Amino acid sequence: QLQVQEANWELYKKQKAAEAVLYEKEKEAAAQKASAEAAFYARQQLADGELYAKKKEAEGIVALAQAQGVYLRTLLDALGGNYAALRDYMMVSGGTFQEIAKINAEAVRGLQPKITVWTNGGGGAEALDGGGSGGSTAMKEISGVYKMLPPLFSTVHEQTGMLPPSWMGTLTHSAHDQSTMN
């Protein structure tokens, strides 16, 4: 009978030890579950926050676009519905022309372009508005065009190396020689 009691006592101790281990495992599992739920909740809160921020950002973009639409409609109305005037105003106020000028300035920086200014000789303006017969004024204008051609041919030759077609005229040797010497 003593052996049975000892066996029962050993069985009881093993059952209590197993119950203690089971209790610890259940507590660990509950703690892991709580930790997982907390982590999930934190991720969910973060995702909800990001979604809220994106929604607000989208609402801001829509509000800005609507405000810009009102601004443009107001400007267009103020300009009498003239789209070209609105476009020009927007380009001026946006600094587009200044930017184009900067780009062009950068493009020619370091280049040494040859620039020639032609005149029709003395008295060209006086011939156009001065008195006299209409035929004389017309002849002076045509004469002015012909006087302009040799310097034009010379400049084109200096800048491009191209000669005018023979039917149009030729360069004088002095102009041709000077341009080849430079």
Side-chain angles (χ1 to χ4, degrees):
Q1 178 103 13
L2 188 56
Q3 286 180 343
V4 171
Q5 281 182 349
E6 283 180 14
N8 283 343
W9 178 246
E10 282 298 318
L11 179 62
Y12 179 76
K13 281 190 341 186
K14 286 182 181 176
Q15 282 178 340
K16 288 299 176 188
E19 286 176 6
V21 168
L22 178 62
Y23 180 76
E24 285 299 318
K25 294 291 183 189
E26 286 176 347
K27 289 291 184 186
E28 285 178 19
Q32 287 177 349
K33 181 180 176 188
S35 176
E37 287 175 352
F40 174 75
Y41 181 75
R43 283 194 304 271
Q44 187 177 16
Q45 290 297 87
L46 181 63
D48 288 346
E50 288 175 359
L51 177 62
Y52 179 78
K54 292 289 182 187
K55 282 182 180 179
K56 287 300 178 185
E57 183 180 345
E59 289 172 8
I61 290 170
V62 168
L64 179 62
Q66 289 172 342
Q68 287 176 337
V70 169
Y71 171 68
L72 290 174
R73 278 191 299 277
T74 303
L75 281 176
L76 191 58
D77 290 345
L79 294 169
N82 185 341
Y83 172 76
L86 174 65
R87 181 200 59 221
D88 292 347
Y89 171 78
M90 295 302 292
M91 290 179 76
V92 167
S93 67
T96 304
F97 293 121
Q98 293 89 333
E99 193 63 29
I100 289 171
K102 284 181 190 174
I103 291 168
N104 285 336
E106 286 297 320
V108 296
R109 183 186 306 261
L111 298 179
Q112 296 176 350
K114 294 181 181 178
I115 298 172
T116 302
V117 177
W118 303 296
T119 63
N120 289 345
E126 294 167 10
L128 291 175
D129 45 89
S133 68
S136 172
T137 302
M139 289 307 291
K140 286 182 181 180
E141 288 179 26
I142 292 172
S143 171
V145 170
Y146 278 107
K147 288 178 185 176
M148 183 184 73
L149 288 178
L152 174 65
F153 292 152
S154 176
T155 300
V156 169
H157 183 262
E158 286 176 14
Q159 293 185 0
T160 66
M162 295 173 53
L163 292 171
S166 58
W167 59 267
M168 190 176 263
T170 59
L171 292 177
T172 62
H173 286 294
S174 63
H176 186 309
D177 292 342
Q178 282 181 341
S179 66
T180 56
M181 294 175 89
N182 290 340

